[in-house]
């Protein structure tokens, strides 16, 4: 019985050590995500000046006005930045979102979010949120999504956890796909 208990304890400790190791994004992954973010921001900036350069833009903006009960009028602005690619299965043209920004207000508090994707697979690489803090000042949340896990950087209070940020990213990309990649 004692041998079984010791074996179980050693197995449990090893399992926890492996889980703890597997949950951290490596420095190489962080560097890669930061490089992808810089490249995406450059593409967004080039897209903003596309008309001046006489090239087509590749973005979409959705502006919504609605009332949140108990909070009042809200304006939400979602901007999608995308590239034109090809569906790997069908070989048909397909738009691939690489960056989304979202800004909105809840009562007097303002929120701003960014979502960075890897492109073709539309996997979330990075989430950023900046918002007015309840006590004054600003809260900032960053989640880096790597193959090894998630790296969190939180200044103040995080209004969104990494799971909800992933779910929100999925909902936004699904909405994009419904609007831009539908068959006629």
């Amino acid at each position: 019985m004692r041998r079984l208990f010791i074996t179980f304890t050693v197995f449990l400790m090893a399992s926890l050590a492996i889980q703890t190791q597997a949950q951290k994004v490596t420095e190489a992954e962080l560097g890669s995500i930061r490089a992808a973010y810089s490249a995406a921001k450059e593409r967004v900036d080039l897209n903003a000046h596309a008309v001046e350069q006489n090239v087509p833009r590749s973005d979409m903006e959705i502006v919504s006005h609605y009332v949140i009960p108990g909070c009042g009028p809200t304006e939400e602005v979602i901007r999608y930045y995308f590239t034109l690619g090809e569906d790997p299965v069908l070989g048909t043209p397909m738009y691939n979102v690489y960056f989304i920004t979202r800004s909105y207000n809840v009562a007097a508090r303002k929120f701003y979010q960014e979502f960075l994707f890897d492109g073709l697979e539309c996997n979330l690489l990075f989430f950023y949120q900046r918002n007015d803090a309840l006590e004054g000042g600003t809260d900032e949340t960053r989640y880096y999504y790597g193959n090894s896990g998630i790296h969190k950087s939180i200044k103040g209070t995080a209004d969104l956890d990494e799971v909800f940020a992933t779910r929100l990213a999925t909902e936004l990309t699904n909405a994009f796909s419904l609007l831009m990649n539908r068959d006629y």
Side-chain angles (χ1 to χ4, degrees), residues 115-140:
F115 303 83
L116 173 68
F117 301 91
D118 68 355
L120 187 60
E121 297 295 318
C122 209
N123 293 320
L124 182 62
L125 295 177
F126 176 71
F127 169 80
Y128 170 75
Q129 178 171 301
R130 180 186 68 242
N131 58 273
D132 298 333
L134 288 172
E135 305 82 29
T138 304
D139 292 331
E140 288 188 3

Side-chain angles (χ1 to χ4, degrees), residues 40-157:
K41 291 297 268 188
E42 284 179 23
R43 289 166 97 183
V44 166
D45 188 48
L46 288 172
N47 191 63
H49 301 289
V51 175
E52 299 162 10
Q53 299 172 5
N54 202 27
V55 294
R57 291 175 51 179
S58 293
D59 65 314
M60 175 174 56
E61 180 177 89
I62 300 171
V63 180
S64 304
H65 299 272
Y66 52 92
V67 174
I68 298 176
C71 295
T74 296
E75 179 179 85
E76 180 177 12
V77 179
I78 302 170
R79 289 186 180 92
Y80 292 93
Y81 299 93
F82 52 90
T83 59
L84 178 60
E86 185 176 287
D87 185 304
V89 175
L90 301 175
T92 57
M94 180 175 157
Y95 295 101
N96 301 305
V97 66
Y98 65 89
F99 197 71
I100 300 173
T101 64
R102 178 177 179 237
S103 59
Y104 62 98
N105 68 289
V106 176
R109 293 179 69 201
K110 298 202 180 309
F111 293 79
Y112 173 77
Q113 298 170 334
E114 294 180 346
F115 303 83
L116 173 68
F117 301 91
D118 68 355
L120 187 60
E121 297 295 318
C122 209
N123 293 320
L124 182 62
L125 295 177
F126 176 71
F127 169 80
Y128 170 75
Q129 178 171 301
R130 180 186 68 242
N131 58 273
D132 298 333
L134 288 172
E135 305 82 29
T138 304
D139 292 331
E140 288 188 3
T141 304
R142 290 174 177 84
Y143 299 130
Y144 299 83
Y145 298 85
N147 293 330
S148 304
I150 297 172
H151 174 76
K152 303 174 190 181
S153 174
I154 299 170
K155 177 187 150 208
T157 304

